[in-house]
Amino acid sequence: MAHAIWSGAINFGLVTIPVKLFTAIRSSDLSFNMLHEKDEGRIKYERVCSVDGKEVPWDEIVKGYEFEKGQYVTLRDEDFDRVSPEITQTCNILEFVDLAHINPMFFDKPYYLEPTKTGRHAYALFREALASSNRVAIARVVMRSKEYIAAVKPIGEALVLQMMHWADEIVETSTLDLPTEEQLPQPEMKMAKMLIDTMTVEAFEPAKFKNVYREELMKIIDARIAGKELPMPAKKAVSREKVVNLMDVLAASLEEKKKEAGAAAPAAKTSTRRRKSSAA
Amino acid sequence: MAKEVREIVEVAHRKLSVSNRDKVLWPADGYTKGDLIDYYRGVARYLVPHLRDRPLTLERFPNGIDGESFFEKQVPRGAPEWVNTVRVPSHAEHRSHIEYIVCNDEPTLVYCANLAAIVLHAWTSRVQSLDNPDFALFDLDPWEGCTLKTLATVALRLRDALSEIGMSPLVKTSGATGMHVVVPLDPVYDYEPIKQFAEIVSRHVALLLPEQTTLQRMTAARSPKTVYLDYVQVGKGKTIVPPFVVRARPKAPVSMTLAWEEVEEFAASRTQNPTTAFSRWTIKNALRRIEKDGDLWAGRHWRPARLEPALKRARTLWGN
């Protein structure tokens, strides 16, 4: 098994379950380095001071908080220590809640929890109790001296620790311009629901969705490594059929428009305006 | 910092302040902001009709074409009060609407040029009906190694396709590497049907010229030496560089309206690189050509069509 990224304990009442934490998501992004095209030298970053133009060694670098444009207060390590939660790596269960009651927007990265030898029994008990009550645990987690809120939930044989966003990290929808008082005629709704029904599947099968972009890019990379000519992109089946289908789509939307024009009054017109005299 | 030189000029009865005419915007060619302003003043009577009533985005190059540039939609603070604007609702996080410049006269054009707005990007619709563009756009983008001949061949095939369904396509250089083909339309259609129409025509042409064209939006998957037929440049808020607008490239080329006969000549030409061919019209000589040949996108050339009859013909001709 891979290397644990954290080891600590779940505290739940008087019970302590010693656990290790493992990554549950592997990144499928390809990563690239930036190179100088002519000699393939790696591009390196230098930390350069914008005042004297010289490179700055790490021990001369402090953190500054910009409280007004160009105005900073600097913070030292002891300032951060002062507010840091206790160093012990803990996962304190605060409460339990039905999974369905948590807005999925709050969920962030998941991790697997694995019991240490002494924790196996308590781990199994906790997992089964959660599963049979259909609840998840909400926990306050301290990891690398930072504090998080997370959910502990049973998924198959494993307990998963899923990090959660703080309430103030979720952007309110009130910042968006959303339709709220739209008239939705019954027949339109019926059509839309019918379409949804016909496209509904038994179960979500993530494996059937492929990351095509990554696969195509990997083909190019493999060909370059092998020194081969690049594979010609598979000529997209720009078939006659597609053109004909599109013509049907366009015919339908023109027809739609004709009906609308018959029914509705013309849309309000916008016009330009002279600017009001400004102070400038 | 160099001292700012300001002068007041009078353009069509408007007084406006012009600063730093000597500022070099094209370092390799030595052209200055004064050259840019003079070109835009000279070409105003041809260019303004293409900008008229369209929300405008400025692409500004305060430190010349090699310096940093930025796009500006919102009319700058302190713009003269006679500059026309239009408010358009915006979905951006920090503002509920954007107040775009609408350039309907020469003074406004000079005002923009004075901001080192080398490139002007205009909407495909006008304020009278912002949801209804008055042309469909095909952006022909030559991909790596594509010759002038290939580019022109694709443009001509596109012209033939559009003509045979009863439309009057017009063509110009983008001023940079490619060509723009437009079909004037009555401004009665929404963006979506126009996009669908452009896709139909593009796919038809791609079927006829499979070796010379690509519809592949993903650049990594495009074949070299082909022309990318981009039909998705139509949409609310999407823009085109109108005819006679200057590009921020070496030699200061401008987007030039072409006669189809010229495209036929390109198809037979030995010039390899489209960019070389298209950079022969610059802010220094374009006006002479425009005055001689006129605006090939205006007057009798601009014949708005409707989609219904075109689609009907397309169904008969390209259906199978």
Side-chain angles (χ1 to χ4, degrees):
Chain A
M1 181 91 194
H3 176 78
I5 51 178
W6 178 89
S7 69
I10 298 176
N11 297 315
F12 164 36
L14 294 173
V15 186
T16 298
I17 312 169
V19 286
K20 291 178 184 167
L21 196 69
F22 294 90
T23 312
I25 304 289
R26 61 176 87 81
S27 166
S28 68
D29 275 354
L30 296 175
S31 71
F32 295 92
N33 289 314
M34 293 204 289
L35 303 179
H36 187 186
E37 187 174 25
K38 90 176 176 202
D39 56 14
E40 301 199 344
R42 281 282 289 274
I43 303 299
K44 78 177 189 191
Y45 296 94
E46 281 186 345
R47 298 165 306 278
V48 175
C49 173
S50 62
V51 177
D52 64 14
K54 291 191 189 123
E55 192 173 350
V56 186
W58 278 114
D59 61 6
E60 290 177 24
I61 293 179
V62 294
K63 288 181 173 154
Y65 177 82
E66 190 174 37
F67 61 96
E68 236 171 66
K69 190 101 184 104
Q71 302 250 64
Y72 295 92
V73 281
T74 56
L75 294 179
R76 287 180 292 274
D77 286 348
E78 53 267 34
D79 296 317
F80 290 100
D81 289 344
R82 202 164 296 152
V83 293
S84 286
E86 69 267 56
I87 308 297
T88 50
Q89 316 272 45
T90 56
C91 172
N92 287 321
I93 307 293
L94 306 176
E95 58 190 30
F96 295 89
V97 61
D98 278 359
L99 178 58
H101 290 167
I102 304 176
N103 175 352
M105 290 272 291
F106 278 90
F107 290 126
D108 198 2
K109 217 174 164 186
Y111 295 91
Y112 288 129
L113 292 167
E114 185 192 71
T116 62
K117 271 205 184 92
T118 55
R120 294 178 69 84
H121 184 73
Y123 184 97
L125 188 66
F126 190 52
R127 180 189 66 204
E128 295 309 315
L130 279 178
S132 61
S133 65
N134 237 333
R135 307 245 165 95
V136 299
I138 302 296
R140 192 177 278 277
V141 182
V142 176
M143 229 198 257
R144 297 193 195 98
S145 82
K146 262 186 149 176
E147 200 172 353
Y148 303 88
I149 183 163
V152 181
K153 45 190 182 184
I155 292 184
E157 309 288 284
L159 282 173
V160 168
L161 179 78
Q162 186 150 20
M163 309 314 278
M164 293 177 74
H165 297 291
W166 298 101
D168 61 3
E169 287 176 333
I170 306 286
V171 179
E172 299 79 22
T173 53
S174 59
T175 57
L176 305 175
D177 178 19
L178 302 173
T180 49
E181 286 161 19
E182 206 78 358
Q183 290 286 333
L184 302 174
Q186 212 47 46
E188 279 182 23
M189 274 300 282
K190 223 171 124 188
M191 279 280 284
K193 281 186 181 160
M194 230 165 69
L195 190 60
I196 293 174
D197 282 343
T198 55
M199 291 177 71
T200 298
V201 294
E202 286 288 307
F204 175 56
E205 291 171 56
K208 72 181 182 196
F209 303 102
K210 290 259 183 306
N211 186 344
V212 180
Y213 179 82
R214 182 180 194 276
E215 282 177 9
E216 296 288 316
L217 209 52
M218 250 352 267
K219 275 189 208 157
I220 294 179
I221 291 171
D222 288 341
R224 283 263 157 83
I225 294 170
K228 273 187 272 181
E229 267 294 291
L230 286 185
M232 285 301 257
K235 274 277 177 226
K236 274 270 154 55
V238 266
S239 66
R240 191 45 73 187
E241 206 177 317
K242 175 88 187 171
V243 175
V244 175
N245 289 345
L246 276 166
M247 288 199 242
D248 293 339
V249 173
L250 177 56
S253 60
L254 291 176
E255 193 59 34
E256 183 67 21
K257 182 180 162 50
K258 211 157 90 189
K259 269 187 241 150
E260 258 173 48
K269 294 196 169 174
T270 322
S271 58
T272 58
R273 54 181 213 174
R274 295 275 179 199
R275 291 158 50 72
K276 287 192 199 83
S277 230
S278 65
Chain B
M1 194 177 176
K3 193 169 167 286
E4 198 178 71
V5 188
R6 284 188 168 275
E7 56 189 296
I8 302 293
V9 294
E10 195 174 314
V11 182
H13 310 297
R14 299 277 185 210
K15 283 201 171 63
L16 59 128
S17 145
V18 164
S19 59
N20 298 333
R21 277 186 60 96
D22 294 334
K23 173 107 194 172
V24 173
L25 297 183
W26 281 269
D29 304 285
Y31 300 153
T32 63
K33 197 164 90 174
D35 293 321
L36 181 72
I37 292 172
D38 292 343
Y39 168 75
Y40 273 135
R41 286 197 69 172
V43 83
R45 71 192 175 95
Y46 299 99
L47 173 54
V48 168
H50 290 286
L51 303 177
R52 186 176 306 286
D53 295 335
R54 302 185 191 277
L56 200 65
T57 297
L58 309 182
E59 192 181 350
R60 295 175 58 179
F61 295 78
N63 294 309
I65 64 167
D66 299 330
E68 265 182 44
S69 64
F70 59 99
F71 286 88
E72 192 163 54
K73 295 179 176 181
Q74 173 74 24
V75 58
R77 235 175 270 174
E81 34 102 0
W82 42 260
V83 167
N84 274 321
T85 60
V86 62
R87 282 161 77 97
V88 179
S90 149
H91 295 300
E93 212 173 289
H94 52 288
R95 52 168 102 237
S96 61
H97 64 265
I98 295 172
E99 192 161 351
Y100 285 89
I101 291 180
V102 175
C103 179
N104 287 355
D105 50 35
E106 187 185 337
T108 307
L109 193 54
V110 175
Y111 166 72
C112 295
N114 183 53
L115 296 173
I118 295 176
V119 194
L120 307 172
H121 303 259
W123 280 34
T124 56
S125 61
R126 302 187 191 245
V127 295
Q128 289 80 0
S129 54
L130 285 175
D131 290 325
N132 310 117
D134 58 358
F135 56 86
L137 169 64
F138 300 85
D139 188 0
L140 279 59
D141 189 4
W143 201 232
E144 272 167 39
C146 172
T147 59
L148 179 62
K149 188 185 162 107
T150 304
L151 177 62
T153 305
V154 174
L156 290 170
R157 198 64 199 81
L158 180 60
R159 170 197 64 177
D160 295 344
L162 290 163
S163 306
E164 73 187 17
I165 57 172
M167 309 189 104
S168 312
L170 300 170
V171 62
K172 71 179 182 70
T173 68
S174 73
T177 59
M179 291 172 118
H180 293 151
V181 172
V182 302
V183 184
L185 292 173
D186 282 338
V188 294
Y189 305 103
D190 294 342
Y191 291 98
E192 205 47 42
I194 296 177
K195 219 184 291 176
Q196 287 160 358
F197 165 75
E199 181 171 356
I200 291 168
V201 179
S202 300
R203 286 187 180 278
H204 172 68
V205 170
L207 280 171
L208 298 173
L209 297 174
E211 301 300 318
Q212 289 101 319
T213 57
T214 176
L215 298 172
Q216 188 54 257
R217 228 168 284 178
M218 226 173 68
T219 55
R222 288 184 199 160
S223 327
K225 301 183 186 175
T226 56
V227 177
Y228 171 49
L229 269 174
D230 186 354
Y231 52 82
V232 295
Q233 289 306 323
V234 174
K236 191 156 188 176
K238 291 204 174 172
T239 59
I240 176 182
V241 169
F244 316 130
V245 164
V246 183
R247 304 308 299 256
R249 304 176 64 93
K251 295 197 170 89
V254 310
S255 172
M256 182 59 75
T257 57
L258 300 172
W260 282 109
E261 294 75 41
E262 289 175 283
V263 183
E264 280 162 12
E265 282 164 30
F266 286 148
S269 131
R270 294 233 189 109
T271 311
Q272 284 295 307
N273 187 343
T275 310
T276 316
F278 299 161
S279 55
R280 58 191 247 220
W281 296 293
T282 71
I283 58 170
K284 286 295 173 186
N285 61 27
L287 190 57
R288 223 175 310 144
R289 135 114 187 185
I290 301 165
E291 282 178 334
K292 185 170 137 280
D293 294 352
D295 177 354
L296 300 171
W297 276 29
R300 66 189 166 88
H301 303 288
W302 189 269
R303 292 206 298 268
R306 298 188 76 103
L307 292 181
E308 292 87 350
L311 176 64
K312 209 169 153 195
R313 287 205 197 188
R315 274 176 179 274
T316 329
L317 290 170
W318 311 339
N320 287 297

Short mmCIF file of all heavy atoms in Angstrom, two decimals, chain B residues 204-224:
data_model
loop_
_atom_site.label_atom_id
_atom_site.label_comp_id
_atom_site.label_asym_id
_atom_site.label_seq_id
_atom_site.Cartn_x
_atom_site.Cartn_y
_atom_site.Cartn_z
N HIS B 204 -20.47 20.96 -44.70
CA HIS B 204 -20.61 20.64 -46.11
C HIS B 204 -19.28 20.88 -46.84
O HIS B 204 -18.81 20.03 -47.59
CB HIS B 204 -21.73 21.50 -46.72
CG HIS B 204 -21.84 21.40 -48.20
ND1 HIS B 204 -22.26 20.24 -48.84
CD2 HIS B 204 -21.55 22.28 -49.19
CE1 HIS B 204 -22.23 20.43 -50.14
NE2 HIS B 204 -21.81 21.66 -50.38
N VAL B 205 -18.67 22.03 -46.59
CA VAL B 205 -17.40 22.34 -47.25
C VAL B 205 -16.31 21.37 -46.79
O VAL B 205 -15.50 20.91 -47.59
CB VAL B 205 -16.99 23.81 -46.97
CG1 VAL B 205 -15.58 24.09 -47.44
CG2 VAL B 205 -17.98 24.76 -47.63
N ALA B 206 -16.34 21.00 -45.51
CA ALA B 206 -15.34 20.06 -45.00
C ALA B 206 -15.47 18.70 -45.67
O ALA B 206 -14.48 18.00 -45.90
CB ALA B 206 -15.47 19.92 -43.49
N LEU B 207 -16.70 18.33 -46.03
CA LEU B 207 -16.89 17.06 -46.73
C LEU B 207 -16.35 17.13 -48.15
O LEU B 207 -15.84 16.14 -48.68
CB LEU B 207 -18.39 16.72 -46.79
CG LEU B 207 -19.00 16.10 -45.55
CD1 LEU B 207 -20.51 16.03 -45.69
CD2 LEU B 207 -18.42 14.72 -45.31
N LEU B 208 -16.45 18.32 -48.76
CA LEU B 208 -15.97 18.47 -50.12
C LEU B 208 -14.45 18.58 -50.17
O LEU B 208 -13.82 18.17 -51.14
CB LEU B 208 -16.58 19.72 -50.76
CG LEU B 208 -18.11 19.71 -50.89
CD1 LEU B 208 -18.60 21.07 -51.39
CD2 LEU B 208 -18.55 18.60 -51.84
N LEU B 209 -13.85 19.15 -49.14
CA LEU B 209 -12.40 19.34 -49.13
C LEU B 209 -11.79 18.70 -47.88
O LEU B 209 -11.24 19.40 -47.03
CB LEU B 209 -12.06 20.85 -49.15
CG LEU B 209 -12.49 21.65 -50.37
CD1 LEU B 209 -12.22 23.14 -50.16
CD2 LEU B 209 -11.76 21.17 -51.63
N PRO B 210 -11.89 17.39 -47.75
CA PRO B 210 -11.44 16.75 -46.50
C PRO B 210 -9.95 16.93 -46.24
O PRO B 210 -9.54 16.97 -45.08
CB PRO B 210 -11.81 15.28 -46.70
CG PRO B 210 -11.98 15.11 -48.15
CD PRO B 210 -12.41 16.41 -48.72
N GLU B 211 -9.15 17.03 -47.29
CA GLU B 211 -7.70 17.13 -47.09
C GLU B 211 -7.28 18.53 -46.68
O GLU B 211 -6.24 18.71 -46.06
CB GLU B 211 -6.96 16.75 -48.38
CG GLU B 211 -7.25 15.35 -48.88
CD GLU B 211 -6.86 14.29 -47.86
OE1 GLU B 211 -5.78 14.43 -47.26
OE2 GLU B 211 -7.65 13.34 -47.65
N GLN B 212 -8.06 19.51 -47.09
CA GLN B 212 -7.62 20.90 -46.86
C GLN B 212 -8.25 21.57 -45.65
O GLN B 212 -7.89 22.69 -45.31
CB GLN B 212 -7.93 21.77 -48.10
CG GLN B 212 -7.07 21.46 -49.30
CD GLN B 212 -7.82 20.60 -50.31
OE1 GLN B 212 -8.52 19.68 -49.93
NE2 GLN B 212 -7.66 20.91 -51.58
N THR B 213 -9.23 20.89 -45.04
CA THR B 213 -9.94 21.58 -43.95
C THR B 213 -9.93 20.76 -42.67
O THR B 213 -9.72 19.55 -42.69
CB THR B 213 -11.43 21.77 -44.32
OG1 THR B 213 -11.98 20.50 -44.61
CG2 THR B 213 -11.60 22.70 -45.48
N THR B 214 -10.14 21.43 -41.57
CA THR B 214 -10.38 20.75 -40.31
C THR B 214 -11.47 21.50 -39.57
O THR B 214 -11.58 22.73 -39.69
CB THR B 214 -9.10 20.63 -39.46
OG1 THR B 214 -9.44 20.04 -38.21
CG2 THR B 214 -8.47 21.99 -39.19
N LEU B 215 -12.28 20.76 -38.85
CA LEU B 215 -13.31 21.39 -38.01
C LEU B 215 -12.94 21.18 -36.55
O LEU B 215 -13.72 21.46 -35.65
CB LEU B 215 -14.68 20.76 -38.28
CG LEU B 215 -15.24 20.90 -39.68
CD1 LEU B 215 -16.50 20.07 -39.84
CD2 LEU B 215 -15.53 22.36 -40.00
N GLN B 216 -11.73 20.68 -36.35
CA GLN B 216 -11.27 20.28 -35.03
C GLN B 216 -10.97 21.51 -34.19
O GLN B 216 -10.05 22.26 -34.48
CB GLN B 216 -10.00 19.43 -35.23
CG GLN B 216 -9.46 18.77 -34.02
CD GLN B 216 -10.47 17.93 -33.27
OE1 GLN B 216 -10.97 18.36 -32.24
NE2 GLN B 216 -10.76 16.75 -33.78
N ARG B 217 -11.75 21.70 -33.13
CA ARG B 217 -11.54 22.87 -32.28
C ARG B 217 -10.27 22.71 -31.45
O ARG B 217 -9.63 23.67 -31.09
CB ARG B 217 -12.74 23.03 -31.35
CG ARG B 217 -13.27 24.43 -31.31
CD ARG B 217 -14.61 24.47 -30.62
NE ARG B 217 -15.68 23.97 -31.47
CZ ARG B 217 -16.93 23.87 -31.05
NH1 ARG B 217 -17.25 24.22 -29.82
NH2 ARG B 217 -17.88 23.43 -31.85
N MET B 218 -9.94 21.45 -31.15
CA MET B 218 -8.77 21.20 -30.31
C MET B 218 -7.52 21.32 -31.17
O MET B 218 -7.31 20.54 -32.09
CB MET B 218 -8.86 19.79 -29.75
CG MET B 218 -8.56 19.70 -28.31
SD MET B 218 -8.91 18.03 -27.77
CE MET B 218 -7.63 17.17 -28.65
N THR B 219 -6.68 22.28 -30.85
CA THR B 219 -5.55 22.55 -31.74
C THR B 219 -4.62 21.34 -31.87
O THR B 219 -4.09 21.08 -32.94
CB THR B 219 -4.73 23.76 -31.25
OG1 THR B 219 -4.36 23.52 -29.90
CG2 THR B 219 -5.54 25.03 -31.33
N ALA B 220 -4.45 20.58 -30.78
CA ALA B 220 -3.51 19.46 -30.82
C ALA B 220 -3.92 18.41 -31.84
O ALA B 220 -3.10 17.67 -32.34
CB ALA B 220 -3.39 18.83 -29.43
N ALA B 221 -5.21 18.38 -32.14
CA ALA B 221 -5.68 17.31 -33.01
C ALA B 221 -5.87 17.77 -34.46
O ALA B 221 -6.34 17.02 -35.29
CB ALA B 221 -6.99 16.76 -32.47
N ARG B 222 -5.47 19.01 -34.76
CA ARG B 222 -5.63 19.47 -36.14
C ARG B 222 -4.50 18.94 -37.01
O ARG B 222 -3.35 18.91 -36.58
CB ARG B 222 -5.61 20.99 -36.19
CG ARG B 222 -6.86 21.62 -35.63
CD ARG B 222 -6.80 23.13 -35.79
NE ARG B 222 -7.76 23.74 -34.89
CZ ARG B 222 -7.71 25.01 -34.50
NH1 ARG B 222 -6.73 25.79 -34.94
NH2 ARG B 222 -8.59 25.49 -33.69
N SER B 223 -4.83 18.57 -38.24
CA SER B 223 -3.77 18.18 -39.16
C SER B 223 -3.04 19.43 -39.62
O SER B 223 -3.66 20.45 -39.83
CB SER B 223 -4.34 17.48 -40.39
OG SER B 223 -5.47 16.75 -40.06
N PRO B 224 -1.73 19.31 -39.82
CA PRO B 224 -1.01 20.46 -40.35
C PRO B 224 -1.45 20.75 -41.78
O PRO B 224 -2.02 19.89 -42.44
CB PRO B 224 0.45 20.03 -40.29
CG PRO B 224 0.43 18.55 -40.17
CD PRO B 224 -0.87 18.16 -39.57
#
